[in-house]
mmCIF file with all atom_site columns, all heavy atoms in Angstrom:
data_model
loop_
_atom_site.group_PDB
_atom_site.id
_atom_site.type_symbol
_atom_site.label_atom_id
_atom_site.label_alt_id
_atom_site.label_comp_id
_atom_site.label_asym_id
_atom_site.label_entity_id
_atom_site.label_seq_id
_atom_site.pdbx_PDB_ins_code
_atom_site.Cartn_x
_atom_site.Cartn_y
_atom_site.Cartn_z
_atom_site.occupancy
_atom_site.B_iso_or_equiv
_atom_site.pdbx_formal_charge
_atom_site.auth_seq_id
_atom_site.auth_comp_id
_atom_site.auth_asym_id
_atom_site.auth_atom_id
_atom_site.pdbx_PDB_model_num
ATOM 1  N N   . ARG A 1 77  ? 114.584 73.764 113.190 1.00 85.00 ? 356 ARG A N   1
ATOM 2  C CA  . ARG A 1 77  ? 115.446 72.653 112.778 1.00 85.00 ? 356 ARG A CA  1
ATOM 3  C C   . ARG A 1 77  ? 116.904 73.117 112.785 1.00 85.00 ? 356 ARG A C   1
ATOM 4  O O   . ARG A 1 77  ? 117.418 73.619 111.793 1.00 85.00 ? 356 ARG A O   1
ATOM 5  C CB  . ARG A 1 77  ? 115.049 72.175 111.376 1.00 85.00 ? 356 ARG A CB  1
ATOM 6  C CG  . ARG A 1 77  ? 113.739 71.403 111.283 1.00 85.00 ? 356 ARG A CG  1
ATOM 7  C CD  . ARG A 1 77  ? 113.923 69.931 111.630 1.00 85.00 ? 356 ARG A CD  1
ATOM 8  N NE  . ARG A 1 77  ? 114.897 69.259 110.799 1.00 85.00 ? 356 ARG A NE  1
ATOM 9  C CZ  . ARG A 1 77  ? 114.611 68.643 109.649 1.00 85.00 ? 356 ARG A CZ  1
ATOM 10 N NH1 . ARG A 1 77  ? 113.368 68.610 109.211 1.00 85.00 ? 356 ARG A NH1 1
ATOM 11 N NH2 . ARG A 1 77  ? 115.555 68.031 108.969 1.00 85.00 ? 356 ARG A NH2 1
ATOM 12 N N   . MET A 1 127 ? 129.474 74.229 117.088 1.00 95.00 ? 406 MET A N   1
ATOM 13 C CA  . MET A 1 127 ? 130.330 74.234 118.282 1.00 95.00 ? 406 MET A CA  1
ATOM 14 C C   . MET A 1 127 ? 129.740 73.362 119.388 1.00 95.00 ? 406 MET A C   1
ATOM 15 O O   . MET A 1 127 ? 130.475 72.697 120.115 1.00 95.00 ? 406 MET A O   1
ATOM 16 C CB  . MET A 1 127 ? 130.552 75.662 118.778 1.00 95.00 ? 406 MET A CB  1
ATOM 17 C CG  . MET A 1 127 ? 131.645 76.408 118.016 1.00 95.00 ? 406 MET A CG  1
ATOM 18 S SD  . MET A 1 127 ? 132.211 77.912 118.845 1.00 95.00 ? 406 MET A SD  1
ATOM 19 C CE  . MET A 1 127 ? 130.977 79.082 118.293 1.00 95.00 ? 406 MET A CE  1
ATOM 20 N N   . LEU A 1 136 ? 134.269 77.291 112.418 1.00 97.00 ? 415 LEU A N   1
ATOM 21 C CA  . LEU A 1 136 ? 135.180 78.345 111.979 1.00 97.00 ? 415 LEU A CA  1
ATOM 22 C C   . LEU A 1 136 ? 134.960 78.693 110.507 1.00 97.00 ? 415 LEU A C   1
ATOM 23 O O   . LEU A 1 136 ? 135.008 79.873 110.120 1.00 97.00 ? 415 LEU A O   1
ATOM 24 C CB  . LEU A 1 136 ? 136.626 77.923 112.214 1.00 97.00 ? 415 LEU A CB  1
ATOM 25 C CG  . LEU A 1 136 ? 137.079 77.951 113.673 1.00 97.00 ? 415 LEU A CG  1
ATOM 26 C CD1 . LEU A 1 136 ? 138.431 77.264 113.830 1.00 97.00 ? 415 LEU A CD1 1
ATOM 27 C CD2 . LEU A 1 136 ? 137.147 79.399 114.179 1.00 97.00 ? 415 LEU A CD2 1
ATOM 28 N N   . ALA A 1 175 ? 141.863 86.669 117.349 1.00 96.00 ? 454 ALA A N   1
ATOM 29 C CA  . ALA A 1 175 ? 140.445 86.910 117.053 1.00 96.00 ? 454 ALA A CA  1
ATOM 30 C C   . ALA A 1 175 ? 139.834 87.872 118.059 1.00 96.00 ? 454 ALA A C   1
ATOM 31 O O   . ALA A 1 175 ? 139.063 88.785 117.677 1.00 96.00 ? 454 ALA A O   1
ATOM 32 C CB  . ALA A 1 175 ? 139.685 85.583 117.059 1.00 96.00 ? 454 ALA A CB  1
ATOM 33 N N   . LYS A 1 236 ? 132.112 85.515 134.575 1.00 95.00 ? 515 LYS A N   1
ATOM 34 C CA  . LYS A 1 236 ? 133.367 84.995 133.999 1.00 95.00 ? 515 LYS A CA  1
ATOM 35 C C   . LYS A 1 236 ? 134.567 85.791 134.485 1.00 95.00 ? 515 LYS A C   1
ATOM 36 O O   . LYS A 1 236 ? 135.633 85.218 134.769 1.00 95.00 ? 515 LYS A O   1
ATOM 37 C CB  . LYS A 1 236 ? 133.286 85.042 132.466 1.00 95.00 ? 515 LYS A CB  1
ATOM 38 C CG  . LYS A 1 236 ? 132.356 84.011 131.856 1.00 95.00 ? 515 LYS A CG  1
ATOM 39 C CD  . LYS A 1 236 ? 132.313 84.172 130.342 1.00 95.00 ? 515 LYS A CD  1
ATOM 40 C CE  . LYS A 1 236 ? 131.354 83.180 129.706 1.00 95.00 ? 515 LYS A CE  1
ATOM 41 N NZ  . LYS A 1 236 ? 131.265 83.360 128.250 1.00 95.00 ? 515 LYS A NZ  1
#
Side-chain angles (χ1 to χ4, degrees):
R356 287 277 302 270
M406 279 195 276
L415 286 169
K515 288 178 182 178

